[in-house]
């Protein structure tokens, strides 16, 4: 499982975190020079729910990134590939 404590990764990938939650991820992820190769399933969360999850994760575990509004999640989800 990738760590949730790497604020460098979270900050650098802030615009695709909503995509990971909504659509899942099957690609390899490198965090702190360590590669993780697990799968995360898709979730049928509403944008407000995703915003709440991301706000929690990005402000816990030593992270301090502020509130992520649901409008930002809406915008980010439009850019998912």
């Amino acid at each position: 499982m990738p760590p949730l404590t790497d604020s460098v990764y979270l900050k650098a990938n802030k615009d695709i975190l909503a995509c990971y939650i909504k659509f899942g991820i099957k690609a390899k992820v490198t965090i702190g020079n360590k590669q993780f190769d697990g799968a995360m399933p898709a979730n049928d969360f509403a944008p407000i729910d995703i915003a709440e999850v991301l706000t929690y994760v990005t402000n816990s575990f030593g992270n301090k990134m502020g509130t992520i509004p649901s409008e930002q999640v809406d915008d980010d989800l439009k850019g998912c590939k």
Side-chain angles (χ1 to χ4, degrees):
M1 300 292 290
L4 296 174
T5 57
D6 189 341
S7 61
V8 173
Y9 181 85
L10 295 176
K11 287 178 185 175
N13 295 282
K14 189 175 181 178
D15 59 334
I16 61 171
L17 297 175
C19 300
Y20 290 167
I21 293 173
K22 181 75 174 177
F23 301 109
I25 183 170
K26 295 178 185 170
K28 292 179 182 179
V29 176
T30 302
I31 300 174
N33 295 323
K34 187 172 180 184
Q35 197 168 61
F36 297 90
D37 191 18
M40 180 175 145
N43 292 284
D44 191 26
F45 294 160
I48 187 69
D49 298 322
I50 295 171
E52 290 174 353
V53 168
L54 289 176
T55 296
Y56 175 76
V57 169
T58 59
N59 288 282
S60 299
F61 315 107
N63 302 306
K64 303 274 188 257
M65 294 173 53
T67 302
I68 298 177
S70 63
E71 295 83 9
Q72 180 64 48
V73 169
D74 284 330
D75 289 343
D76 292 346
L77 289 174
K78 290 175 188 172
C80 296
K81 295 178 184 180

